Amino acid sequence: MKIAFLSPFYPFRGGIAQFSDSLLAGLQEKNEVKTFSFKRQYPGLFFPGSSQYVLKDESQRSVQTEFILDSINPFTYSKTANEIIRYNSDLSLMSYWMPFFAPSLGCVARHVRKKGKKVISILHNVIPHEKRFFDSTLTKYFLKHNDAFILLNKKSENDLLSIYPKAKFITQPHPIYNHYGEKQNQDEAKRKLNIPLEKKIILFFGFIRDYKGLDLLIDAVSKLSDEYVLLIAGEVYGSFEKYNQQIEKLGIQKKVSLHARYIANSEVPLFFSAADVCVLPYKSATQSGITSIAYHFELPLIATNIGGLKETIYHNKTGIIIDLPDSMLIAEAIKNYFLQNLKSKFQDEIKLLKNQLSWSNLANAIIEFSKSL
């Protein structure tokens, strides 16, 4: 099948780009794919991080992309659509994750469908984590210009049908990332991070945003003994000052190993290898790409029962699901995890799961679904 794929790709950073790069590899195993991406994804004024791009010396993921779409320049919307139409694909595939992109992506989809071309979008989020009054209107505009959708969890099914009841879709689990390299020796990873070898390491990884509940995890760690260390690794969207103040107020500076910055792909193995467990204390979520990274390194997870997290983190098999985003419950779950020595048991289950969640399987599901429309 001939596929046009519009999405963020390398050198954009973040989970959507990494997802798209990995899916592209799966699609290219049996199909011809041409990728289209943003020449401007976010205006600098609206972007809360330090950069939208990976570091210059970061390993390239070898994605050959036509950078054409400017999210805030309407003249590029029709230009992008025309280039996709000119490619004459059997399927146009898009990534969608927030209403900000609904005008640009929706306009492209509308033009492409006018030419009789099939459009399917991967909905990473249907309803955004940080809501605004215009979200529903913009999302509806985007959705109505698609033929069908790929969802990654049951929570998204409910969200989609609440906004667009006649939507056609399939739901497939988020595959496991496989481009981060090999797991390192845990003691050596601790030494590189200047963490005493005897400490029990709790990892919080990824972009630091309010809805991810880092404040809850910091409070939970304050309720644990000094044998625990909270390893925080990720770029801050906004300011870290409120977390610094919380850490100081609780007097747990010595229990926190802080790396509040962008973590290059080459560094990812270091943090996941040093950790004993990864915690997702989210206050809202659909799914999390962090789960996929943790599984790659065979690291168990503890997560709140929010959104679709429990669909990929299997309670008492690959991790622990906490009923509510509550610091006391998080602290209790962490203590029980270590007291019951659950790490090796959960790792055995993760090894079995890794064989099922491949990018090839997702790619094949998308192709078969497209043919059925």
Side-chain angles (χ1 to χ4, degrees), residues 327-345:
S327 61
M328 183 63 75
L329 295 177
I330 294 170
E332 288 300 317
I334 293 169
K335 283 192 284 188
N336 289 335
Y337 172 82
F338 285 97
L339 284 172
Q340 297 179 41
N341 295 314
L342 294 174
K343 184 176 182 180
S344 60
K345 173 190 171 184

Side-chain angles (χ1 to χ4, degrees), residues 190-207:
K190 284 182 178 180
R191 289 189 188 98
K192 290 178 181 177
L193 293 169
N194 295 314
I195 298 173
L197 301 186
E198 71 277 8
K199 297 294 185 180
K200 298 172 180 176
I201 310 302
I202 304 158
L203 175 64
F204 178 95
F205 188 88
F207 293 128

Side-chain angles (χ1 to χ4, degrees), residues 108-344:
V108 172
R110 178 167 60 86
H111 282 296
V112 170
R113 289 182 77 217
K114 276 186 176 180
K115 295 297 182 178
K117 301 296 182 181
K118 203 178 298 180
V119 177
I120 295 177
S121 287
I122 304 161
L123 302 181
H124 294 269
N125 298 306
V126 180
I127 297 174
H129 303 297
E130 296 155 342
K131 300 177 180 63
R132 297 171 178 84
F133 72 91
F134 49 77
D135 289 342
S136 180
T137 300
L138 290 176
T139 300
K140 286 178 182 177
Y141 169 76
F142 173 77
L143 295 176
K144 73 178 182 179
H145 293 304
N146 283 261
D147 291 288
F149 307 95
I150 308 299
L151 307 179
L152 301 172
N153 56 74
K154 297 290 183 183
K155 169 68 164 55
S156 291
E157 290 183 12
N158 296 331
D159 290 344
L160 175 59
L161 293 174
S162 71
I163 297 175
Y164 195 53
K166 64 180 183 179
K168 298 177 182 178
F169 62 88
I170 58 170
T171 303
Q172 294 289 313
H174 193 306
I176 291 176
Y177 289 120
N178 52 14
H179 63 277
Y180 285 110
E182 298 299 318
K183 187 176 181 179
Q184 302 175 8
N185 176 270
Q186 185 177 27
D187 286 351
E188 185 59 31
K190 284 182 178 180
R191 289 189 188 98
K192 290 178 181 177
L193 293 169
N194 295 314
I195 298 173
L197 301 186
E198 71 277 8
K199 297 294 185 180
K200 298 172 180 176
I201 310 302
I202 304 158
L203 175 64
F204 178 95
F205 188 88
F207 293 128
I208 299 170
R209 306 179 71 171
D210 288 346
Y211 73 86
K212 293 190 175 184
L214 177 56
D215 57 326
L216 297 178
L217 183 53
I218 291 171
D219 193 46
V221 169
S222 74
K223 305 177 192 304
L224 303 174
S225 69
D226 289 343
E227 62 185 330
Y228 294 89
V229 168
L230 172 58
L231 177 58
I232 301 172
E235 184 177 4
V236 185
Y237 274 25
S239 171
F240 197 80
E241 183 56 31
K242 63 180 179 182
Y243 300 111
N244 272 329
Q245 291 178 5
Q246 183 185 10
I247 290 167
E248 292 176 8
K249 183 178 179 180
L250 294 170
I252 59 169
Q253 294 92 324
K254 292 182 179 180
K255 293 167 65 176
V256 176
S257 177
L258 180 59
H259 304 264
R261 57 178 175 79
Y262 173 67
I263 307 298
N265 284 352
S266 59
E267 296 180 277
V268 172
L270 177 64
F271 293 95
F272 281 85
S273 299
D276 293 294
V277 67
C278 180
V279 180
L280 307 179
Y282 291 9
K283 300 174 182 178
S284 71
T286 44
Q287 70 278 326
S288 173
I290 305 303
T291 303
S292 179
I293 302 173
Y295 282 166
H296 171 70
F297 291 104
E298 296 170 6
L299 182 67
L301 297 115
I302 297 173
T304 49
N305 187 11
I306 296 296
L309 294 179
K310 67 178 179 182
E311 295 173 35
T312 51
I313 302 170
Y314 303 102
H315 185 57
N316 282 333
K317 287 190 174 181
T318 63
I320 297 173
I321 296 294
I322 306 164
D323 289 338
L324 298 168
D326 176 88
S327 61
M328 183 63 75
L329 295 177
I330 294 170
E332 288 300 317
I334 293 169
K335 283 192 284 188
N336 289 335
Y337 172 82
F338 285 97
L339 284 172
Q340 297 179 41
N341 295 314
L342 294 174
K343 184 176 182 180
S344 60

Side-chain angles (χ1 to χ4, degrees), residues 5-13 16-17 20 35-43 52-53 65-73 76-77 80 84 93-106 108 142:
F5 192 179
L6 174 58
S7 178
F9 293 98
Y10 176 90
F12 285 109
R13 65 171 61 168
I16 307 299
S20 302
T35 60
F36 301 84
S37 192
F38 295 86
K39 63 179 181 181
R40 177 165 55 178
Q41 186 177 209
Y42 298 97
Q52 299 178 45
Y53 303 99
T65 302
E66 184 171 347
F67 298 99
I68 186 170
L69 183 62
D70 184 329
S71 64
I72 61 169
N73 183 349
T76 69
Y77 302 174
T80 302
I84 291 174
L93 189 64
M94 295 186 181
S95 292
Y96 179 82
W97 66 104
M98 63 184 299
F100 174 80
F101 295 100
S104 57
L105 294 176
V108 172
F142 173 77

